[in-house]
Amino acid sequence: MSSSPATPTPPAITGLDFVGIPTQDAERARRFYGETLGLRPDDHAEFEFWIGGTCVGIWEPERQGRPFAPQKNAHLALHVDDVPAAKAALEARGVTFHGDVFDTGVCHMALFTDPDGNDLMLHHRHTPTRG
């Protein structure tokens, strides 16, 4: 009778260290995320920003021999307290949104893209989570 090898235990994943944002122009992306969106720049990395406790790192895939492709249908849900007000403020800074603010019954959302076509959204959950 042969015994099958034991299935290895999965690694202990304890958090999300950063989210990579692909770009074809790191300077343009840096201005968009830092100046237009107003994200807090990292004190030690020119192309990283902080959203709460999550780091957003801008990178150019083509510089590493990989093809550029924007992140589609995997929106970064950027928390704001008031989606319509935040949408209006970003529209005044030249950001174009894809439609109006919509209510899912649980949250308000407004969809847009960065200059490279990466999908983003403004988001506010208005229904309490189950605890």
Side-chain angles (χ1 to χ4, degrees), residues 14-65:
T14 61
L16 179 65
D17 284 340
F18 77 97
V19 174
I21 304 292
T23 185
Q24 292 180 302
D25 184 336
E27 267 308 312
R28 179 186 65 203
R30 186 186 60 72
R31 286 190 307 274
F32 179 79
Y33 284 92
E35 296 171 16
T36 303
L37 295 185
L39 300 184
R40 180 174 59 88
D42 186 271
D43 293 334
H44 306 287
E46 184 177 8
F47 296 102
E48 293 183 0
F49 296 89
W50 289 91
I51 304 170
T54 302
C55 181
V56 174
I58 296 166
W59 70 295
E60 292 178 299
E62 292 170 341
R63 288 185 179 223
Q64 296 174 358

Side-chain angles (χ1 to χ4, degrees), residues 78-89 101 108-110 122-125:
L78 306 173
H79 173 79
V80 295
D81 290 332
D82 184 332
V83 173
K87 179 180 182 279
V101 172
H108 293 137
M109 298 181 190
L122 297 178
H123 180 266
H124 178 81
R125 184 177 178 97

